[in-house]
Amino acid sequence: MGAQSSSTASSSPGAAQTSPLHDAAGLCFDDLADAEGAVTAAAFEHLFSGSVAGFGGRLFVSLFGKEKPRVSKPEFVEAIYRLLSHDSRQSVTINTYLEVFSDADAVLPLQALSCACKLALKLSDADSDASGEATGSNISLYLTAASSTIGSKENGDDLTVARVANWLIDNMPGIFDSVHGWVERAVWSSSPQASDLQAPFALPNCVSSSKASVSSELLNEDGIWVLSTLLSPCFLGHYQSKAVSGAAAAAPVSSTGASTGGQWNLLYNSRDHGLSLNRFKHHVMDYRGPSLCCIRCDHGKVLVLAVDCEWRESSSAWGGAECMLVQLAPTILPLASGPKLLMFNEKTRGVRLGLSAGRDLARPDIHLDENLDKLTLRASLASSPEELGVRHIEVWGCGGADLQEAQRRQKEWDKKQVEKRRKVKRPGRWEENPDALILEWGGVHTTSNFQHDRTKDEPEKH
């Protein structure tokens, strides 16, 4: 097919032929094609052999339909281009993978959705046993609880693909990040540019202040994976990349919107640092990047507040567009998201003290009091505000080691400035300094003048 103009490059098969993705798909086809110049479902399955039995054949049916046992090179290249030129969190991609697990049927059994989640867990290297099989013990329980929210059939657990897709887009948009990256690497494996691809999707690595790997008491691997499907890539230590776009694409890039797993640094742990506002501020303030505040309350409730910017003390609402409030246990439920989601007030009178988060800060979804030991939950799952005791708080910095080091240097600088101010000598005799007189007018007695006045007024001792 002849070359297309750049204005139509992104909307036609000819456009794909000008991109590196087209070249990679063409090389992949050449490796899989039989003597008659066609690729079969069995050959496509071989591309994913050794990982998940049957996945390649099901993806083939989802891409080309049940009536197409063999496809030509133009058909193959266009279908692959159409799949991988979309981000993993777009609706068209989510629908494609749901069709894979529903066998291209309109109905998706709950068990099939659970298998999809476990595959994503496995490809994220999370919750895997020695054989490499993902157990995902908490995922099935979560999906079972969520099925009533999605909308199930009257006589069984089956759900429609359309309903599940809409629910995932709102609640777990990143569910197929790792799966999409896996498919992408398989297609690019025949290309000389395969080494330029971003590293596989991986979950963040939790690290203590001593730079040693550490397990969170509030986030198990299932929970971390679920959060990875909910949160913006900025919390995962990932860099969002643009999908391949026709002739403009000059090198292979990941369309998962993510690269390698990031590093979560433990900033504050109430068990070690103490459950108090002063200790919380000392360890969390001056961290200039995204962070996760995890709170365990009475009755096993775990709430996660994702903050996409530096923490600040203010009586006004703050926070960027990627902020989110999620209930992680006993059931997983996104509660609120968006800009100006938080208020952290310590001093201003007439304004609620403590940490508030929610879409309406006059009636926040959660409020953590100024002592950090009581939390009020006012969410859709509660008919009235629920008062809960706080058992444990963890704050994880999601910006990697560099940001934590920058926080450490900032604290050292602040400490040195305080010490400098303490060492500054007052010029001359303080009682003769005009500043001392001004303070006296304001009713503030300096040490020397106050001592002088007190001695002068004391009665003489005989």
Side-chain angles (χ1 to χ4, degrees), residues 281-287 406-416:
K281 289 177 59 181
H282 174 77
H283 290 281
V284 173
M285 294 297 192
D286 293 324
Y287 183 82
Q407 181 198 34
R408 185 192 66 78
R409 290 198 302 267
Q410 179 64 44
K411 288 186 177 299
E412 284 187 355
W413 186 87
D414 290 342
K415 183 178 179 180
K416 289 179 180 178

Side-chain angles (χ1 to χ4, degrees), residues 12 77 111 127 196 255 363 383:
S12 67
V77 169
Q111 183 179 3
D127 202 13
D196 295 332
S255 57
R363 299 179 70 254
S383 56

